[in-house]
């Protein structure tokens, strides 16, 4: 049985930082592509950043230079460090693990990030 547990969200002021964590149980974590997505009210879910099994990273433009995705295969955990947060970063953030693009995806439950002025 696969379990995905997210933690680390909350409320932060503009310019502040948060670190999101997502722990997977029941998959071969090291073989999966890991990603962070977000969904704001009234908007579609969008990719924030992803990291391959080999550690190669990819960021959307809005995340480049402010967010850092990393993985700890020993702890089956993927992290998202978010710095210089803006109000428009407010959303529910989801982690995802997927072996490849055509494989089943495992999603976290979502965690709220709110950036206030």
């Amino acid at each position: 049985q696969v379990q995905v547990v997210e933690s680390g969200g909350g409320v932060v002021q503009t310019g502040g930082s948060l670190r999101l964590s997502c722990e997977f149980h029941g998959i071969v974590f090291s073989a999966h592509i890991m990603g962070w997505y977000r969904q704001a009210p009234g908007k579609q879910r969008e990719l924030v950043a992803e990291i391959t099994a080999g550690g190669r990273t990819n960021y959307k433009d809005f995340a480049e230079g402010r967010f850092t995705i990393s993985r700890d295969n020993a702890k089956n955990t993927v992290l998202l460090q978010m710095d210089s947060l803006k109000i428009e970063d407010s959303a529910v953030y989801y982690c995802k693990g997927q072996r490849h693009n055509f494989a089943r995806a495992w999603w976290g439950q979502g965690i709220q990030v709110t950036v206030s002025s």
Side-chain angles (χ1 to χ4, degrees):
Q1 184 177 356
V2 178
Q3 282 188 306
V4 186
V5 180
E6 293 188 35
S7 61
V11 180
V12 65
Q13 288 191 322
T14 302
S17 297
L18 280 175
R19 189 176 79 161
L20 305 182
S21 178
C22 184
E23 187 173 358
F24 286 76
H25 302 271
I27 64 170
V28 182
F29 180 85
S30 61
H32 283 64
I33 301 167
M34 290 292 150
W36 285 96
Y37 292 71
R38 70 184 188 185
Q39 188 167 18
K43 294 189 176 182
Q44 288 191 329
R45 191 174 298 188
E46 61 179 348
L47 175 68
V48 175
E50 60 186 357
I51 183 167
T52 68
R56 189 170 66 249
T57 58
N58 174 47
Y59 296 91
K60 296 297 285 184
D61 287 346
F62 63 80
E64 189 77 56
R66 298 190 300 127
F67 294 1
T68 303
I69 189 171
S70 61
R71 63 191 298 158
D72 184 340
N73 289 340
K75 297 181 179 178
N76 289 359
T77 298
V78 58
L79 302 173
L80 184 68
Q81 177 68 39
M82 303 186 293
D83 299 317
S84 303
L85 282 162
K86 305 175 182 179
I87 290 176
E88 53 264 41
D89 293 319
S90 297
V92 177
Y93 283 70
Y94 299 87
C95 61
K96 185 184 84 169
Q98 191 173 25
R99 198 151 188 146
H100 54 77
N101 286 339
F102 300 102
R104 176 175 179 170
W106 305 100
W107 290 91
Q109 78 276 17
I111 194 161
Q112 180 70 47
V113 170
T114 302
V115 185
S116 63
S117 59

